[in-house]
Amino acid sequence: MNLKPISIIAAVAALISCGNPEDAAQTPAEALLDRLEGLVEEGKIMYGHQDDLMYGHSWKLAEDASEYVQSDVFATAGQYPAVYGLDLGGIEMGWKENLDKNNFDHMRASAIAHHKRGGIVTFSWHPRNPLTGGDAWDVSSDQVVASVLPGGEKHEYFMTWLSNASDFLGSLRTDDGELIPVIWRPWHEHTGSWFWWGQRLCTTEQYKALWQMTYDYMVNERGLNNLVWAYSPGAGELTVPEVFAERYPGDEIIDLVGFDCYCSTNYERYAASMKNALDITKAFAEEHGKLMAITETGHEGLKHPKWWTEVLYPIMKDYPVSYVLTWRNACDDNMQHHFYAPFPGQESADDFKAFAALDQIMFL
Ligand code: BMA
């Protein structure tokens, strides 16, 4: 027999992989992507709510809670949101609680509980400012992204932040040790200039390098294979499709594209802004073979009694939107107006039930 060494290696590799079905299995991220694609093909739009199981308009999870069943969405519609959003802000500092006072252990356990219930989890990240020591909204310096890139004065320090975030994302495991997949959405709303990674605070090259560094570290170095990577500009700045494309990190990194768009009481303006962002995102998603979603939206205080079926639903129903996530229901005394999902008795509660009952809209 005159096999070339390379063929022997290939033959041995094939034998090993035949003997171990795990090798051929999908990664958790691939499995989630398949599931998301299947639901879009069925024409379903999943409803999502930020911090849904952590607190609501007038309740907060008990410190010693061991189950995650309370939810303003469930209390109103009798079903849980299909998508559960959480934010890692604060993990970089090694804090026990995130920036909105959610205990990280409860975040982890509730994310796993939601996954077990058949739901999908998404994480955003509002990390503090590694150069100034301020928060994510501290835009006093336009050198922050530069400082965390290789060669920058905060590079080593910032890598410990990525390490902390990776530790958390890699700790999302079921009882039998399997990683649960999540949609991971860092460096969001970068088309605006209100976060330290925003438009005026770094160049296009620096922004893309930040993504590449994040991806290389989490996927290649840490081996996290449970992340579906999402890119989400702010809708307000999407005057032309080029703005959407300008800082796109690349097809090798991104799996899902979306945008964040909020509703004031000017509902026509919201509809116009949403349609514009949906058109741009849809064209981009099709061209690049990616999924699309409305990664953040909502009408603070839900002042329109039929906001769900007469404002939001008509805008998005004809687009292949994977999910639409409304922001959090703050429970702090001074933030009672800051809610984006109804609770029993809220003026849009009946309409929310009607929205949840629509065939196209998916809850759990
Ligand atoms: C914002 C507000 C803030 C919050 C932040 C991160 O839109 O809800 O109160 O701290 O998101 O969750």
Side-chain angles (χ1 to χ4, degrees):
M1 234 176 18
N2 184 20
L3 282 179
K4 293 198 181 107
I6 188 79
S7 312
I8 295 170
I9 292 168
V12 171
L15 271 177
I16 293 170
S17 82
C18 284
N20 181 2
E22 291 270 303
D23 287 352
Q26 283 186 314
T27 65
E30 285 165 351
L32 175 54
L33 270 174
D34 271 5
R35 184 169 171 215
L36 293 172
E37 276 157 18
L39 288 168
V40 169
E41 269 163 35
E42 279 175 45
K44 298 287 183 199
I45 300 178
M46 290 184 283
Y47 170 70
H49 186 219
Q50 185 75 2
D51 285 348
D52 189 70
L53 303 169
M54 291 287 98
Y55 54 82
H57 182 250
S58 51
W59 62 272
K60 185 157 170 54
L61 187 77
E63 271 176 43
D64 60 356
S66 58
E67 52 175 11
Y68 305 94
V69 287
Q70 196 167 358
S71 148
D72 279 352
V73 167
F74 187 87
T76 310
Q79 299 177 79
Y80 289 104
V83 175
Y84 175 34
L86 288 165
D87 194 277
L88 281 188
I91 198 84
E92 67 281 1
M93 310 302 292
W95 290 349
K96 283 198 162 28
E97 294 179 345
N98 85 343
L99 77 171
D100 297 319
K101 305 196 196 87
N102 296 336
N103 176 289
F104 278 111
D105 290 333
H106 282 314
M107 283 170 59
R108 177 189 303 106
S110 65
I112 295 167
H114 183 72
H115 169 79
K116 281 193 191 154
R117 239 179 236 154
I120 290 169
V121 181
T122 177
F123 279 92
S124 50
W125 192 18
H126 289 79
R128 295 182 66 80
N129 185 317
L131 185 61
T132 64
D135 61 22
W137 291 265
D138 179 352
V139 289
S140 59
S141 164
D142 61 5
Q143 293 303 309
V144 189
V145 175
S147 79
V148 302
L149 293 175
E153 61 176 294
K154 292 291 175 188
H155 177 66
E156 311 270 291
Y157 175 54
F158 185 73
M159 293 315 281
T160 68
W161 287 17
L162 288 184
S163 171
N164 289 352
S166 303
D167 287 346
F168 185 89
L169 294 168
S171 74
L172 299 167
R173 289 175 191 271
T174 56
D175 298 338
D176 49 16
E178 267 180 50
L179 271 176
I180 73 162
V182 299
I183 299 168
W184 169 230
R185 190 171 68 90
W187 317 131
H188 66 303
E189 298 177 14
H190 66 283
T191 44
S193 297
W194 45 85
F195 296 130
W196 56 256
W197 55 89
Q199 182 76 20
R200 284 202 300 274
L201 291 308
C202 58
T203 66
T204 297
E205 289 66 35
Q206 287 167 341
Y207 179 75
K208 286 187 181 179
L210 176 64
W211 268 95
Q212 189 69 52
M213 184 173 83
T214 307
Y215 182 88
D216 284 345
Y217 178 76
M218 291 188 158
V219 176
N220 300 334
E221 204 161 322
R222 296 294 301 267
L224 292 175
N225 63 4
N226 60 330
L227 308 178
V228 164
W229 292 74
Y231 169 75
S232 59
E237 298 74 43
L238 299 178
T239 44
V240 289
E242 287 72 23
V243 179
F244 194 96
E246 185 198 327
R247 296 190 173 199
Y248 179 64
D251 285 343
E252 315 72 38
I253 295 179
I254 299 301
D255 302 300
L256 177 150
V257 293
F259 59 85
D260 295 2
C261 183
Y262 283 89
C263 180
S264 67
T265 47
N266 187 338
Y267 305 110
E268 272 144 48
R269 199 163 132 198
Y270 173 65
S273 181
M274 286 280 280
K275 291 262 185 192
N276 173 61
L278 282 163
D279 285 336
I280 290 175
T281 308
K282 182 176 177 235
F284 191 91
E286 280 171 4
E287 194 184 325
H288 292 257
K290 304 295 173 186
L291 287 157
M292 71 179 279
I294 301 170
T295 44
E296 278 185 40
T297 194
H299 178 29
E300 190 183 51
L302 288 162
K303 296 168 196 99
H304 188 312
K306 300 229 160 158
W307 189 76
W308 302 94
T309 62
E310 291 186 7
V311 180
L312 178 64
Y313 181 64
I315 293 171
M316 68 181 183
K317 71 179 177 38
D318 296 324
Y319 293 87
V321 170
S322 168
Y323 69 91
V324 55
L325 180 130
T326 59
W327 206 239
R328 66 200 197 96
N329 285 11
C331 66
D332 293 359
D333 284 346
N334 56 347
M335 290 194 90
Q336 289 289 292
H337 60 285
H338 192 58
F339 63 86
Y340 296 86
F343 40 85
Q346 201 279 326
E347 71 177 287
S348 75
D350 286 342
D351 190 56
F352 187 65
K353 271 194 233 172
F355 173 73
L358 292 168
D359 255 6
Q360 198 184 347
I361 303 297
M362 190 177 145
F363 280 60
L364 269 194

